[in-house]
Amino acid sequence: MEVIEKIEKPIIHKKLEVNTLESEAIYILREVAAQFEKPVLLFSGGKDSITLVRLAQKAFYPAKIPFPLLHIDTGHNFPETIAFRDKLVEELGVELIVRKVQDSIDQGKVVEEKGKYASRNSLQTTTLLDALEEFKFDAAIGGARRDEEKARAKERIFSVRDDFGQWDEKNQRPELFDHLNGKIELGQNVRVFPISNWTELDVWSYIEKENIEIPSIYFAHKRKTFIRDGMIWSAEDNVVYRDDSETVEERTVRFRTVGDMSCTAAVLSDAGTIEKVVAEIRSSKISERGARIDDKRSEAAMEKRKQQGYF
């Protein structure tokens, strides 16, 4: 009788929700391996791509992750992120492919932006498309989530791109009853989003539950910073443009999202542990991408980049 009571005891909602999202993501990753000839996992060193790596470990355990990681390096990454990337790859024994935006600039394929709000973030598109073509990858797995931005909310889990790498938001395949159709024509490829249905809080709750290591930049730390347009920018490098009138001060901050240093602002925080980060996000009324200046260039900035081939 005692055993029956334990079996019938209801599972708390939070645990059921996390397990359901994890199961969905693992199913998607296995479908990618089954349906595509040469997939790759896009890895930035941020929390979402780190979560994808853990999910891929679980999906194919005890075998190794059956596809390489691809990092499109802007050259303006936070040093903490690059150090974490190299450490993780070494620990897991997975293949890491790095392609650099600087090479695209040197080859004259893209032009470096100048001025106060210059960023290399949008230049990644050309480098990414060249890398997909170079290695003939037919599926690129990314950590985008629908809650991040309205253009991403339109995405399917299997998002087909044409032979120019472009996304047509009006020509998306239906995904009824979790049916994922990976059939593509010659020259096309698919972007895959296994955690599309997750929220920022879901990701952090999963990191907490799985005790996943993440870059120190996500936690509160003292950093030399300056204020511009009401946002907090790192002053610990030669990447972020700063006027002489913009005063540098040491503040206790953390980063909610990790992108190109020149377009990613920090937030004031004393959250030095995962538990405190989760509590902070629960009470926050601002989206994590509220600290991304590249999304503020225009109302449709993200959608335009996606149409051009951005992941």
Side-chain angles (χ1 to χ4, degrees):
M1 178 63 70
E2 183 179 352
V3 174
I4 294 175
E5 288 177 354
K6 286 183 178 179
I7 292 174
E8 293 179 346
K9 186 177 180 179
I11 303 173
I12 61 174
H13 177 71
K14 180 181 177 182
K15 185 175 180 180
L16 177 63
E17 182 178 356
V18 170
N19 286 345
T20 300
L21 291 171
E22 179 190 65
S23 297
E24 178 189 53
I26 287 174
Y27 160 71
I28 293 166
L29 287 166
R30 288 173 177 168
E31 283 295 303
V32 170
Q35 296 192 43
F36 296 97
E37 295 291 332
K38 201 171 183 181
V40 67
L41 193 153
L42 303 177
F43 187 79
S44 67
K47 67 182 186 309
D48 298 316
S49 59
I50 293 168
T51 297
L52 281 180
V53 170
R54 172 57 62 87
L55 290 164
Q57 283 182 280
K58 285 194 167 189
F60 304 106
Y61 182 84
K64 287 187 177 181
I65 297 173
F67 33 73
L69 310 186
L70 172 62
H71 182 208
I72 303 302
D73 185 356
T74 65
H76 291 173
N77 298 282
F78 290 97
E80 298 94 325
T81 306
I82 298 299
F84 179 87
R85 178 200 71 183
D86 294 342
K87 177 175 177 288
L88 180 65
V89 167
E90 183 178 359
E91 289 176 352
L92 297 181
V94 296
E95 179 186 1
L96 172 67
I97 299 169
V98 179
R99 287 296 178 267
K100 299 181 178 181
V101 170
Q102 184 63 55
D103 291 337
S104 299
I105 295 172
D106 294 342
Q107 294 163 10
K109 294 181 176 180
V110 294
V111 178
E112 181 98 64
E113 295 182 357
K114 304 293 182 183
K116 191 174 182 179
Y117 297 105
S119 171
R120 287 186 173 182
N121 199 50
S122 63
L123 306 186
Q124 294 179 84
T125 299
T126 297
T127 312
L128 170 61
L129 294 178
D130 285 349
L132 295 178
E133 176 62 26
E134 176 186 354
F135 293 96
K136 305 301 179 185
F137 292 126
D138 54 357
I141 305 163
R145 309 187 320 270
R146 289 183 177 130
D147 76 315
E148 290 182 275
E149 205 273 342
K150 58 187 178 183
R152 286 182 168 169
K154 299 178 181 179
E155 283 278 22
R156 298 292 192 263
I157 291 172
F158 275 18
S159 179
V160 180
R161 307 299 173 95
D162 65 21
D163 51 0
F164 294 102
Q166 297 174 328
W167 173 65
D168 181 0
E169 75 281 7
K170 296 179 181 179
N171 189 26
Q172 295 280 298
R173 295 174 177 176
E175 291 179 341
L176 305 175
F177 310 109
D178 296 328
H179 177 70
L180 301 174
N181 180 5
K183 185 177 180 180
I184 56 177
E185 303 295 335
L186 183 65
Q188 291 181 330
N189 64 72
V190 171
R191 308 294 168 81
V192 181
F193 304 111
I195 60 171
S196 185
N197 290 326
W198 297 41
T199 65
E200 181 189 12
L201 183 57
D202 290 328
V203 171
W204 276 106
S205 297
Y206 191 72
I207 288 171
E208 179 182 20
K209 170 180 172 288
E210 293 287 313
N211 194 27
I212 300 173
E213 185 180 358
I214 56 174
S216 59
I217 200 168
Y218 279 113
F219 299 113
H221 59 285
K222 289 185 178 180
R223 196 177 194 92
K224 292 179 180 178
T225 60
F226 67 95
I227 303 293
R228 177 190 297 148
D229 299 332
M231 304 177 80
I232 305 171
W233 300 95
S234 174
E236 293 191 349
D237 52 73
N238 296 319
V239 171
V240 183
Y241 177 92
R242 180 168 56 85
D243 288 330
D244 293 337
S245 61
E246 293 173 321
T247 306
V248 175
E249 295 182 15
E250 190 174 72
R251 297 177 173 86
T252 301
V253 300
R254 73 177 194 88
F255 291 83
R256 286 179 68 180
T257 177
V258 175
D260 189 341
M261 281 188 289
S262 60
C263 67
T264 307
V267 294
L268 293 173
S269 174
D270 61 358
T273 65
I274 291 179
E275 292 79 11
K276 289 183 177 180
V277 168
V278 171
E280 184 179 273
I281 293 170
R282 285 186 187 278
S283 61
S284 177
K285 296 181 180 179
I286 301 173
S287 164
E288 63 185 304
R289 293 195 72 90
R292 292 290 291 269
I293 195 67
D294 51 326
D295 289 347
K296 301 179 185 298
R297 293 192 174 197
S298 74
E299 188 70 18
M302 173 67 77
E303 185 151 339
K304 289 179 180 177
R305 292 203 304 276
K306 289 175 68 62
Q307 290 169 345
Q308 294 166 356
Y310 184 76
F311 105 98

